[in-house]
Amino acid sequence: MKLRTRLAALALLAAIFIGVSLEAYAQPPATPTGPDLFRAMQQAGAPENVSSSLGVMLLITVISLAPAILIMTTSFTRIIVVLGFLRQAMATQQTPPNQVLVGLALFLTFFIMSPTYVKVNQNSIQPYTRGEITQAQAVTEALKPVREFMFRQTRPNDLRTFLSIAKLPLPATPDDVPTTVLIPAFIISEMTTAFFIGFIIYIPFLIIDMVVASTLMAMGMMMLPPIFVSLPFKIVMFILADGWNLLIGSLVRSFH
């Protein structure tokens, strides 16, 4: 029942946006007399109307940046970088293709972030739709689970680095850390962890490359590229070791 209600709300919101867009396109184009923002501010008259116009522009800007914000504050960064390292270590070029890797990373992100977003829905979205809290309170409550997730993955050294760059004192509690400082520290920590995992992934494939290259040199077949010979052995080793199960399982469990 809850899922059906959410889908109905999303459909209603989409219908509103589509209706507004069609209505805007149906109107004849106005004669350009200057920048749209300035013209809207001149026609607003009252200060509260100017604030409404700027609020709409700010909302559109946030919506356009929402995918990047959601991706960079979740587990997506670590997953996609590790999958990229795996493909590079196996030297399979474009196999799996980028669409498959991004799709796998997205679904793994949904799986990992689902407990966090369940808390966001219970503590922020549902109370706000029922009118129990204000919009400011809803934003504050929605940030709490996301900040808790990012704090668990962020290294203290990275957090101290951005605090020093921002010239802020060391916080007494996690609540004293600004979100604008926490997000870049979280991203850098995710990149560091992903590169460390990528280094571990490279080791067995590098050993295969070295063994194949040494064997070919000993046989005097120096004109044959070692990558052509080592690629089948890498694929067979990855399959026999149940590599996808080991990699994905370890990757998901790395988010504590």
Side-chain angles (χ1 to χ4, degrees):
M1 188 65 183
K2 292 182 179 179
L3 179 59
R4 194 173 298 174
T5 304
R6 295 175 190 170
L7 291 176
L10 290 174
L12 178 60
L13 184 61
I16 292 174
F17 277 113
I18 293 173
V20 171
S21 302
L22 292 177
E23 183 179 358
Y25 280 114
Q27 294 177 355
T31 304
T33 57
D36 294 340
L37 175 60
F38 295 151
R39 186 167 64 251
M41 294 177 64
Q42 292 174 358
Q43 295 175 356
E48 57 270 15
N49 295 333
V50 176
S51 300
S52 300
S53 301
L54 294 177
V56 171
M57 293 193 62
L58 180 61
L59 177 61
I60 294 174
T61 303
V62 172
I63 291 175
S64 63
L65 295 176
I69 295 174
L70 291 176
I71 286 175
M72 301 308 291
T73 57
T74 62
S75 57
F76 182 85
T77 301
R78 184 189 305 184
I79 296 172
I80 194 64
V81 171
V82 169
L83 293 178
F85 270 117
L86 173 65
R87 187 173 65 181
Q88 190 73 19
M90 293 185 67
T92 54
Q93 297 181 358
Q94 296 300 318
T95 303
N98 292 330
Q99 294 85 348
V100 174
L101 293 185
V102 172
L104 177 60
L106 284 175
F107 279 103
L108 289 176
T109 300
F110 295 152
F111 176 77
I112 294 170
M113 298 300 298
S114 58
T116 300
Y117 288 129
V118 166
K119 293 180 182 179
V120 172
N121 181 55
Q122 293 176 349
N123 301 335
S124 175
I125 298 177
Q126 293 301 325
Y128 178 70
T129 55
R130 293 194 296 265
E132 299 175 359
I133 57 177
T134 63
Q135 183 178 3
Q137 292 174 336
V139 173
T140 302
E141 292 297 326
L143 280 176
K144 287 181 180 179
V146 179
R147 283 171 57 91
E148 290 177 2
F149 172 80
M150 289 192 292
F151 269 118
R152 289 196 300 268
Q153 317 305 325
T154 304
R155 300 188 309 164
N157 188 31
D158 294 330
L159 194 58
R160 284 194 295 268
T161 299
F162 282 94
L163 286 172
S164 63
I165 293 174
K167 298 181 180 180
L168 296 175
L170 292 177
T173 62
D175 294 335
D176 297 333
V177 178
T179 305
T180 54
V181 172
L182 177 59
I183 291 177
F186 166 76
I187 296 173
I188 296 301
S189 297
E190 287 293 282
M191 295 289 290
T192 302
T193 305
F195 273 66
F196 179 75
I197 297 175
F199 168 75
I200 297 176
I201 291 174
Y202 253 95
I203 293 177
F205 297 110
L206 181 60
I207 293 175
I208 293 177
D209 287 333
M210 293 175 61
V211 171
V212 170
S214 300
T215 304
L216 291 178
M217 289 183 63
M219 297 174 62
M221 303 174 64
M222 289 178 288
M223 299 300 295
L224 180 63
I227 189 173
F228 290 160
V229 181
S230 63
L231 180 58
F233 290 100
K234 291 179 181 179
I235 296 176
V236 169
M237 184 200 70
F238 191 74
I239 294 174
L240 294 179
D242 198 5
W244 286 113
N245 189 11
L246 291 175
L247 177 64
I248 299 302
S250 302
L251 191 57
V252 172
R253 284 191 290 268
S254 67
F255 292 93
H256 46 79

